[in-house]
Amino acid sequence: SAIQTGKAAVKFTPTKEDYQKVYNTVAHILDEAGEYDDGSFGPVIVRLAWHASGTFDKATGTGGSNFATMRFEPESLHGANNGLHVAREVMEKVKQQYPWISYGDLWTLAGVAAIQEMAGPKIPWRPGRVDGLASDATPDGRLPDASQGSQHVRDIFYRMGFNDQEIVALIGAHALGRCHPDRSGFEGPWTFAPTTFTNDFYKLLFEEKWVWRKWGGPKQYQDKKTGTLMMLPTDYVLTQDKNFKKFAKAYADDQDLFFKDFSAAFAKLLELGVPSQQFVASEPWNLKTLEEQKA
Ligand code: ZEM
């Protein structure tokens, strides 16, 4: 600390431009994935932002992205977080370049950058999260279990304060990325373009015929036609539950509606559990994509 070293403490107050620089660094790193997965760190970074935030419990105000407690054991070892060390290690490189940013701000901002750079909607975002302690972590079991049904999905997301429409919109993020046998036990991507944010997840849910995959792994669906795509039991529920189906169908039919609703729900997710007085801006910001900055 400043006292111990005798050095003067210079307080750096970052501006919106400084956060845009962090965004840009993340945006460039997404494509430095090489042979990793589909050549992008984008999907696993979106998953980090989601799992950092989705521990929120509205009733007690605990959990959420504020303290970035997934840095610590045992939360980093919770089964749901298997594989997210990949994203946290990428984030560490960014943190070294911008030591002033909190981990919660970094991880959520990186999630925003990943969505936007993968051609998704703009996600309003603002800084203000602070680093917490291991003792701020929430117990295991707050994130959804893919093998369960609509009641479980509702229990988990209602606990965070989401409604059915927001639940369906959020799960559309499964347009991105894939399941890994060594992480969740499930296997495969949901769409043919897993590094581009689209409404393909919903389209495929309704357009393809889904059958149980015959294999030794956990119960999952595969598309009958090619056998290369997958759906989790909780994904398929969106076509079976009457109220979920209404929204899923609407998103399959209208990409703009999905983008609008996803943006609002994801922005809300990233702010869960962050006391409003901690935010440095009264309204969330729109950060620019790399493309938009090419003038
Ligand atoms: Zn996911 N998700 N998710 N999800 N998720 C996986 C992967 C990804 C559930 C789930 O169990 C799983 C949301 C909701 C729900 C992403 C984003 C979001 C995987 C595969 C599983 C098993 C993990 C692996 O093996 O690597 C369940 C049950 C959900 C709700 C019912 C929400 C909400 C998300 C963001 C808004 C993303 C981007 C991935 C892909 C990760 C990657 O590494 O490719």
Side-chain angles (χ1 to χ4, degrees), residues 46-63:
V46 171
R47 189 160 202 246
L48 174 66
W50 140 237
H51 279 206
S53 309
T55 55
F56 182 65
D57 173 40
K58 199 181 166 188
T60 58
T62 56

Side-chain angles (χ1 to χ4, degrees), residues 37 43-44 46-47 50 144-146 153 157 170-171 173-174 176-180 183-184 186 190 232 234 262 266:
D37 269 7
V44 77
V46 171
R47 189 160 202 246
W50 140 237
D145 171 357
V153 173
F157 282 89
L170 284 170
I171 295 174
H174 284 169
L176 300 172
R178 53 175 61 245
C179 296
H180 306 77
R183 297 182 186 177
S184 60
F186 298 97
W190 290 265
L232 299 165
T234 46
F262 179 84
F266 196 62

Side-chain angles (χ1 to χ4, degrees), residues 24-292:
N24 292 355
T25 297
V26 171
H28 286 296
I29 284 184
L30 297 179
D31 294 332
E32 290 172 16
E35 295 295 296
Y36 173 78
D37 269 7
D38 305 283
S40 172
F41 290 123
V44 77
I45 286 174
V46 171
R47 189 160 202 246
L48 174 66
W50 140 237
H51 279 206
S53 309
T55 55
F56 182 65
D57 173 40
K58 199 181 166 188
T60 58
T62 56
S65 63
N66 195 26
F67 299 137
T69 48
M70 204 200 297
R71 288 172 295 147
F72 309 114
E73 291 182 6
E75 188 175 337
S76 59
L77 302 176
H78 288 172
N81 293 329
N82 281 351
L84 291 180
H85 65 278
V86 171
R88 291 196 303 273
E89 282 162 18
V90 173
M91 293 293 94
E92 209 53 51
K93 289 190 215 159
V94 183
K95 172 74 176 176
Q96 275 163 23
Q97 221 176 312
Y98 306 95
W100 45 266
I101 197 169
S102 72
Y103 280 94
D105 280 346
L106 175 59
W107 293 355
T108 54
L109 173 57
V112 168
I115 296 280
Q116 293 190 174
E117 295 300 316
M118 292 188 287
K122 293 309 240 355
I123 313 288
W125 178 90
R126 56 186 164 168
R129 296 158 194 81
V130 296
D131 290 336
L133 306 169
S135 56
D136 294 310
T138 50
D140 199 359
R142 289 202 175 182
L143 292 162
D145 171 357
S147 65
Q148 298 209 41
S150 59
Q151 185 59 53
H152 170 77
V153 173
R154 285 198 171 91
D155 288 345
I156 293 282
F157 282 89
Y158 287 1
R159 189 208 68 226
M160 296 176 219
F162 288 111
N163 62 31
D164 284 2
Q165 173 260 306
E166 293 169 314
I167 292 171
V168 177
L170 284 170
I171 295 174
H174 284 169
L176 300 172
R178 53 175 61 245
C179 296
H180 306 77
D182 59 332
R183 297 182 186 177
S184 60
F186 298 97
E187 183 176 33
W190 290 265
T191 67
F192 292 111
T195 62
T196 309
F197 195 87
T198 63
N199 68 338
D200 287 358
F201 168 79
Y202 309 101
K203 284 190 182 168
L204 290 159
L205 258 180
F206 291 105
E207 286 170 13
E208 297 307 316
K209 187 161 167 51
W210 296 94
V211 296
W212 289 112
R213 175 169 171 177
K214 294 192 176 65
W215 74 320
K219 283 182 85 171
Q220 65 175 67
Y221 294 90
Q222 68 180 32
D223 71 303
K224 197 172 183 214
K225 209 190 296 165
T226 73
T228 57
L229 300 179
M230 69 93 59
M231 289 289 168
L232 299 165
T234 46
D235 298 319
Y236 193 71
V237 148
L238 305 185
T239 69
Q240 300 300 299
D241 179 276
K242 196 161 167 268
N243 206 42
F244 284 160
K245 184 178 177 179
K246 181 179 79 182
F247 297 113
K249 197 90 190 57
Y251 297 145
D253 292 342
D254 187 344
Q255 178 160 239
D256 293 345
L257 179 69
F258 168 53
F259 273 33
K260 181 176 83 60
D261 286 357
F262 179 84
S263 173
F266 196 62
K268 173 176 164 178
L269 173 70
L270 300 185
E271 295 201 348
L272 294 178
V274 188
S276 55
Q277 68 271 15
Q278 273 183 217
F279 288 117
V280 308
S282 57
E283 292 296 327
W285 301 330
N286 268 318
L287 294 166
K288 293 193 169 77
T289 62
L290 293 182
E291 191 62 35
E292 286 170 329

